[in-house]
Amino acid sequence: IRNFHPFAKPFAVWEWLFDHFTLEYSTILDPFLGSGTSLYTGLRKNRMMYGIESKASHRDNAITWLYEKLNDQEESFVSPGDI
């Protein structure tokens, strides 16, 4: 993870939470978006993800990182207007 947020959590933490506390295709709101790892992991696990971040720099970094990370996949499934 590109660590631009002081409390970024590893993907494995989010994977465990999603596996144990949500259903596939659930809608999830992360009211403290931070680095965006929750959104990335949720999207990869077929959750509909929404995030809120009050600090503009964290929000902008998360959007940029998510866009780059999701478009690095073999099949790109995100366009700039989707984020």
Side-chain angles (χ1 to χ4, degrees):
I1 300 172
R2 190 173 64 186
N3 193 4
F4 56 79
H5 189 272
F7 302 109
K9 291 160 192 66
F11 296 118
V13 170
W14 290 114
E15 288 175 349
W16 187 87
L17 289 169
F18 288 132
D19 288 344
H20 289 84
F21 295 103
T22 69
L23 299 173
E24 191 172 26
Y25 306 111
S26 295
T27 299
I28 313 268
L29 170 65
D30 182 350
F32 307 101
L33 177 60
S35 63
T37 55
S38 62
L39 266 66
Y40 175 76
T41 306
L43 291 170
R44 300 303 299 165
K45 294 193 125 323
N46 295 317
R47 276 36 171 206
M48 175 63 73
M49 299 297 299
Y50 295 93
I52 300 170
E53 177 55 57
S54 62
K55 190 168 184 181
S57 62
H58 290 314
R59 182 197 62 231
D60 295 344
N61 285 335
I63 289 170
T64 300
W65 178 79
L66 279 166
Y67 179 73
E68 291 171 358
K69 186 80 173 159
L70 293 171
N71 281 305
D72 282 345
Q73 305 303 314
E74 288 182 20
E75 290 186 36
S76 180
F77 61 94
V78 173
S79 66
D82 291 341
I83 298 178

